């Protein structure tokens, strides 16, 4: 069970103490969510099973008391669901690029633009995402994403149902969904900071963030089964639109924020947005994480989008490429399910980053030889190793960035890093498509040069994260120090 990994053995079910209600009653009879205090008192027994007490503060003792709430799981699962859907939408046509090109009567390069335009849309709306997460928190961002996903999916379906398929309408719908992605992909660090303690934040961030590529895995596996021929493309888009619509509805029912903060760091006032920008620009640690994070996320986006075109010239089918893409993601998810709770427990952020980074670069180097290998098994193995290392790195890097830049609000570093990854991914897709061999090559249209370019880019940035914590730089976990300091504990 997911709950067993999160804050196990450190919290117990508890009723809010009388002192808590007395304090709340001084604020004009309303709590911080604007709920009437009399109503809260009347439902006190109903909420007794929801509040969870953090033992870092003695029950009934002096000082603030921090709690986590069971309702956080509903919000987290909705964030997971939307990340799955938005990524599935992104790779809808990439997983069946040849079939899609035949249906719309366009080239595969044009189909690539459905992925590229999606990524560029992410970059365009990122400033609005930062502002919304900073001022309003995760709920407005999640609702915005849900509305955009609903509209975009049905516009795409209308475009595919038009006579002979209207590629321009499909592109328009795809871009609208692309505008939705940053609202849910950038939200996990903000959500985990708002709802979880230090014993569950990395795992919460991992679950929500890595749900995004899991949606891509579903697309890689399921779309080729739904669209075995060109005439089945409209039905494939219809099925995805129905699933997306159902997944979007619960967003309107999640809680905006917990009645009481989960930790001292969550309760502390964050740095104003304008000052945050200056702090991030001047932070060496931010740049040492941002640059490799952007490169590796961009490369992962590119290989996910182009995997079918990388393998197909060597005689592999769309289904085999889909299995390779699914392994890339599923193995990564399983590995992250192990590494994230361990990081929550031991806080070994820097060590994990320094171990994962060179291993990722090595995998991109080896993948140069995967398409031409005698068997598809080699591609499967390298894709699995690449997924394992990449997925382990993502939540750890995002959480450590929050730690080292605290008290900067979490959404800033997360959104900027993801935006960098989407921008790099869009550019790399265009470059790799341009490096595709001609029809006269052996084999025709192979992407050997593109894979070499990808590997070189991955290797060039390896030294940057290896410099973290060196040369006298202060790389403390500042948010953890804030949490420990309240209960009199030291920094582990």
């Amino acid at each position: 069970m997911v709950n067993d990994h999160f804050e196990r053995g450190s919290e117990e079910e508890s009723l809010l103490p009388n002192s808590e209600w007395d304090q709340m009653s001084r604020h004009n009879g309303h709590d911080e969510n604007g709920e009437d205090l009399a109503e809260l008192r009347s439902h006190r027994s109903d909420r007794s099973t929801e509040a969870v007490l953090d033992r870092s503060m003695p029950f009934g003792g002096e000082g603030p008391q921090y709690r986590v709430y069971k309702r956080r799981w509903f919000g987290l699962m909705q964030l997971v669901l939307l990340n799955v859907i938005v990524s599935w939408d992104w790779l809808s046509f990439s997983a069946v690029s040849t079939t899609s090109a035949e249906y719309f009567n366009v080239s595969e390069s044009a189909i690539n633009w459905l992925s590229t335009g999606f990524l560029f849309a992410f970059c365009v709306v990122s400033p609005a995402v930062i502002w919304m997460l900073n001022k309003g928190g995760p709920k407005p961002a999640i609702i915005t994403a849900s509305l955009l996903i609903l509209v975009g999916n049905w516009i795409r379906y209308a475009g595919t149902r038009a006579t002979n398929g209207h590629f321009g309408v499909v592109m328009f719908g795809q871009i609208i969904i692309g505008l939705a992605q940053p609202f849910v992909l950038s939200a996990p660090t903000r959500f985990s900071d708002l709802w979880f303690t230090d014993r569950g934040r990395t795992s919460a961030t991992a679950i929500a963030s890595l749900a995004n590529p899991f949606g891509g895995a579903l697309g890689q596996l399921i779309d080729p089964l739904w669209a075995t021929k060109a005439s089945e493309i409209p039905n494939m888009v219809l099925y995805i639109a129905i699933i997306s619509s159902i997944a979007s509805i619960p967003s309107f029912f999640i809680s905006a924020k917990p009645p009481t903060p989960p930790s001292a760091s969550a309760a502390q006032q964050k740095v104003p947005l304008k000052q945050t920008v200056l702090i991030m620009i001047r932070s060496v640690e931010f740049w040492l994480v941002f640059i490799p994070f952007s490169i590796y996320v961009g490369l992962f986006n590119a290989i996910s989008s182009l995997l079918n075109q990388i393998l197909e010239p060597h005689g592999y089918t769309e289904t085999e490429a889909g299995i390779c893409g699914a392994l890339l993601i599923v193995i990564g998810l399983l590995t992250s399910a192990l590494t994230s709770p361990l990081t929550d427990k031991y806080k070994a952020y820097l060590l994990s980053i320094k171990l994962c980074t060179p291993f990722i670069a090595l995998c991109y180097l080896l993948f140069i030889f995967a398409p031409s290998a005698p068997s598809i098994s080699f591609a499967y193995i390298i894709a699995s190793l690449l997924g394992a290392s990449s997925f382990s790195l993502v939540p750890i890097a995002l959480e450590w960035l929050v730690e080292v830049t605290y008290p900067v609000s979490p959404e800033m570093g997360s959104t900027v890093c993801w935006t960098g990854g989407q921008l790099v991914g869009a550019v790399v897709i265009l470059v790799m498509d341009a490096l595709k061999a001609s029809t006269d090559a052996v084999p025709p249209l192979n992407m050997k040069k593109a894979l070499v370019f990808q590997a070189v880019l991955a290797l060039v940035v390896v030294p940057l994260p290896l410099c973290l914590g060196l040369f006298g730089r202060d790389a403390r976990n500042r948010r953890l120090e804030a949490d420990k300091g309240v209960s009199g504990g030291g920094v582990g």
Side-chain angles (χ1 to χ4, degrees), residues 119-179:
L119 299 178
F120 279 131
F122 187 114
C123 304
V124 170
V125 79
S126 289
V129 173
I130 293 173
W131 181 86
M132 184 174 290
L133 285 170
N134 184 268
K135 301 298 183 183
K139 183 173 182 176
I142 290 172
I143 290 175
T144 301
S146 297
L147 293 172
L148 290 170
I149 288 170
L150 278 169
V151 173
N153 268 280
W154 290 106
I155 289 177
R156 289 198 319 175
Y157 177 62
T160 56
R161 276 298 179 194
T163 305
N164 298 322
H166 199 299
F167 187 73
V169 174
V170 173
M171 175 66 79
F172 180 61
Q174 188 81 349
I175 289 173
I176 289 178
I177 301 172
L179 295 174

Side-chain angles (χ1 to χ4, degrees), residues 243-255:
I243 294 171
S244 299
S245 300
I246 295 171
S248 299
I249 294 172
S251 298
F252 300 94
F253 304 102
I254 65 172
S255 299

